[in-house]
């Protein structure tokens, strides 16, 4: 069915709050806006990433082969329940009831129906889906205060403690995160906020998962975890950061610093080596791009190395995803030691932040890393940012890096946006 000149994100804003879903890839080639839930896959008990994705593919095999489940995994599987992340369990994947999709220049509607789907619910959703004749709702909330956890003094102590663990040989690298909570003067519409973020977020994955009107997880992530097209696998290392300059000369100087900084290069190579080792186990013909190159985003720039391969016959991308997460770009190295150190020492629970976020289809899939992201709970927006700590890291410089990574979000919720 043709959907005319309608833009999926504008259409989604016009829909009632609650059970809204959005995804667009980094290249802007595929975009999905969905409402309602035809099917939800979430845990009854312990279940691995591999088991979860295998189960979703079994669901797809009995449905239309071109349907996709959208969702993600929490960073720490099996973490104790946390009130902030109430609707986001160890994992949650949704097959939307009604979708407006854009694939390249083609735009179409899709309605997903299972044998056990209530037909009245489908009709109600179709009738409720507005035609998007009016102007999309604008983001209007004003934010009154901000609280960082850890604060700057606590951050310096946390970095000092991490460097001690690195010096003693417990870890080679650990990625520490900060939670920045902002309170607004009115409830925050996550889709309206995402639309505003999209205007300032070139070269990123954009996503929003709003299971209820009470909370939503959204973000603009620059980092691909992996993409599968048939037996082709595409991944990358993204680590090492500098801000953008306010003029061409300043920007070039930051880029030069990034390419020449020993600390940033070591941090980046740790990620490259780890992802290469994982792909060597699951793929043949693994190719690591020459580099690294510099990926330019709106408010910061990163070292970037593309890595690709071909799945070995008998190997599964569901197992590959479990092996990849978390990469040293968001966890650390060795993986188990860094994950345990983060779990024991960070003063908050990450939830879906830095976890795999994306979609899975019958013979393809794409996941980004859920960074540059935030959690909305009614009138509260909680933003997350992280910094890689290796030997030689400076706590104050890493604190500034956290601010650089939040700059995109902060700009769109202020008059600058």
């Amino acid at each position: 069915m043709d959907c005319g000149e309608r833009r999926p994100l504008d259409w989604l804003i016009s829909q009632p709050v609650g059970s809204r879903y959005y995804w667009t890839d980094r290249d802007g080639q595929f975009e999905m806006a969905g409402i309602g839930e035809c099917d939800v896959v979430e845990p009854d008990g312990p279940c691995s990433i591999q088991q979860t994705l295998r189960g979703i593919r079994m669901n797809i095999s009995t449905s239309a082969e071109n349907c996709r489940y959208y969702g993600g995994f929490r960073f720490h599987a099996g973490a104790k329940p946390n009130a902030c992340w109430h609707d986001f369990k160890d994992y949650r994947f949704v097959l939307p009831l009604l979708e407006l999709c854009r694939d390249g220049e083609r735009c179409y509607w899709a309605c997903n129906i299972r044998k056990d789907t209530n037909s009245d619910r489908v009709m109600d959703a179709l009738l409720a889906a507005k035609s998007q004749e009016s102007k999309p709702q604008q983001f209007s909330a004003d934010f009154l205060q901000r609280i960082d956890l850890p604060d700057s003094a606590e951050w310096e102590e946390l970095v000092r403690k991490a460097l001690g663990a690195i010096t003693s040989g417990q870890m080679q690298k650990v990625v520490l995160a900060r939670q920045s909570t902002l309170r607004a003067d009115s409830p925050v519409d996550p889709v309206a906020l995402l639309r505003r973020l999209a205007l300032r977020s070139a070269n990123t994955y954009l996503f929003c998962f709003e299971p209820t009107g009470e909370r939503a997880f959204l973000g603009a992530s620059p980092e691909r975890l992996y993409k599968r097209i048939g037996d082709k696998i595409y991944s990358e290392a993204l680590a090492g950061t500098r801000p953008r300059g306010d003029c061409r000369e300043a920007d070039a100087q930051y880029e030069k610093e990034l390419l020449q900084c020993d600390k940033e290069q070591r941090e980046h190579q740790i990620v490259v080596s780890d992802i290469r080792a994982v792909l060597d186990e699951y793929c043949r013909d693994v190719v690591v791009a020459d580099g690294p190159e510099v990926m330019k985003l709106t408010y910061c720039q990163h070292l970037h190395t593309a890595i690709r391969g071909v799945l070995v016959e008998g190997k599964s991308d569901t197992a590959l995803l479990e092996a990849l997460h978390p990469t040293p770009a968001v966890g650390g190295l060795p993986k188990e030691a860094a994950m345990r150190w983060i779990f024991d020492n960070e003063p908050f629970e990450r939830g879906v932040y830095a976890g795999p976020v994306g979609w899975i289809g019958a013979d393809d899939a794409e996941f980004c890393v859920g960074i540059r992201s935030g959690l909305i709970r009614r009138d509260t927006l909680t933003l997350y940012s992280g910094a890689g700590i290796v030997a030689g890291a400076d706590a104050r410089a890493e604190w500034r890096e956290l601010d650089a990574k939040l700059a995109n979000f902060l700009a769109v919720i202020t008059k600058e946006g």
Side-chain angles (χ1 to χ4, degrees):
M1 186 191 303
D2 180 31
C3 48
E5 297 299 320
R6 297 187 181 92
R7 295 164 61 93
L9 189 52
D10 289 347
W11 171 79
L12 190 62
I13 295 173
S14 73
Q15 305 310 306
V17 171
S19 292
R20 296 183 294 180
Y21 299 93
Y22 182 82
W23 167 272
T24 187
D25 59 32
R26 192 170 60 185
D27 302 323
Q29 290 300 302
F30 179 80
E31 182 180 13
M32 186 285 300
I35 61 171
E37 298 174 344
C38 173
D39 190 29
V40 178
V41 178
E42 56 186 1
D44 288 328
C47 189
S48 69
I49 290 177
Q50 187 173 349
Q51 290 171 318
T52 301
L53 298 186
R54 189 184 299 124
I56 291 173
R57 282 222 166 100
M58 289 179 64
N59 286 351
I60 293 174
S61 69
T62 61
S63 307
E65 290 186 359
N66 61 348
C67 72
R68 294 173 172 180
Y69 280 72
Y70 299 86
F73 296 87
R74 288 173 80 141
F75 183 80
H76 290 290
K80 291 182 179 180
N82 182 290
C84 292
W85 295 94
H86 173 72
D87 297 297
F88 302 92
K89 300 179 181 179
D90 274 5
Y91 57 86
R92 192 177 197 273
F93 283 83
V94 172
L95 176 63
L97 187 63
L98 181 65
E99 300 176 2
L100 176 57
C101 299
R102 180 183 58 80
D103 191 352
E105 297 299 318
R106 186 172 69 101
C107 192
Y108 60 91
W109 294 98
C111 184
N112 297 301
I113 302 174
R114 291 167 55 92
K115 290 181 180 179
D116 57 355
T117 301
N118 184 298
S119 58
D120 290 337
R121 186 161 64 91
V122 175
M123 290 305 301
D124 289 344
L126 291 171
L127 292 172
K130 299 178 182 178
S131 62
Q132 181 46 37
E133 299 288 345
S134 59
K135 185 178 180 180
Q137 179 179 345
Q138 300 298 308
F139 179 75
S140 59
D142 289 325
F143 289 85
L144 310 175
Q145 60 178 340
R146 168 179 161 180
I147 300 173
D148 290 325
L149 182 67
D151 62 23
S152 58
E154 293 166 336
W155 172 261
E156 290 193 21
E157 174 59 24
L158 191 63
V159 172
R160 184 199 62 77
K161 189 175 181 180
L163 288 172
I166 291 170
T167 300
S168 67
Q170 297 178 45
M171 301 175 292
Q172 189 177 349
K173 174 186 176 180
V174 65
V175 180
L176 304 181
R178 184 182 70 189
Q179 173 182 281
S180 299
T181 301
L182 302 98
R183 188 170 297 280
D185 61 352
S186 60
V188 180
D189 184 325
V191 182
L193 175 57
L194 186 74
R195 182 177 181 272
R196 194 167 183 179
L197 189 64
L199 299 175
R200 292 176 167 269
S201 301
N203 206 26
T204 63
Y205 295 93
L206 288 164
F207 55 86
C208 181
F209 304 108
E210 184 188 19
T212 73
E214 295 295 308
R215 66 194 73 223
F217 180 65
L218 73 162
S221 173
E223 184 174 357
R224 171 181 289 163
L225 186 58
Y226 90 99
K227 179 177 182 177
R228 174 189 170 189
I229 304 175
D231 61 355
K232 307 295 190 300
I233 297 293
Y234 304 89
S235 188
E236 66 189 21
L238 192 74
T241 306
R242 282 293 186 277
R244 296 298 302 271
D246 55 7
C247 65
R248 183 178 299 178
E249 292 75 15
D251 197 59
Q253 181 59 37
Y254 280 129
E255 179 179 347
K256 183 178 179 181
E257 288 179 11
L258 185 57
L259 289 168
Q260 295 181 352
C261 177
D262 177 67
K263 181 263 179 186
E264 302 289 4
Q265 289 287 341
R266 284 188 289 111
E267 181 183 346
H268 186 79
Q269 286 306 314
I270 286 172
V271 181
V272 172
S273 297
D274 184 76
I275 294 176
R276 170 67 191 263
V278 173
L279 262 62
D280 279 340
E281 182 178 350
Y282 290 89
C283 298
R284 56 181 171 83
D285 303 330
V286 175
V287 176
V288 178
D290 294 334
E293 298 179 340
V294 174
M295 176 186 283
K296 302 273 189 177
L297 303 175
T298 305
Y299 288 94
C300 57
Q301 46 192 318
H302 302 289
L303 294 177
H304 172 270
T305 299
I307 308 170
R308 69 178 189 271
V310 180
L311 270 177
V312 173
E313 186 174 353
K315 296 284 188 178
S316 167
D317 64 319
T318 59
L320 173 64
L321 177 59
E322 191 162 37
L324 282 172
H325 172 70
T327 72
V330 292
L333 200 71
K335 179 187 294 188
E336 292 76 14
M339 288 286 280
R340 171 49 58 184
W341 201 94
I342 292 168
F343 188 80
D344 290 342
N345 290 278
E346 273 189 351
F348 60 90
E349 206 267 292
R350 291 190 179 189
V352 190
Y353 164 68
V357 174
W359 59 266
I360 183 167
D363 197 39
D364 51 3
E366 185 161 19
F367 284 85
C368 69
V369 182
I371 56 174
R372 315 298 153 80
S373 54
L375 175 68
I376 291 176
R377 293 174 293 146
R378 296 180 295 278
D379 61 348
T380 299
L381 170 62
T382 302
L383 302 176
Y384 298 89
S385 53
I389 308 302
V390 296
D394 176 80
R396 293 184 181 179
E398 303 300 339
W399 182 266
R400 291 192 295 271
E401 180 177 316
L402 297 178
D403 287 336
K405 290 174 177 176
L406 283 189
N408 203 15
F409 252 115
L410 294 176
V412 302
I413 63 175
T414 63
K415 292 181 180 180
E416 185 183 342

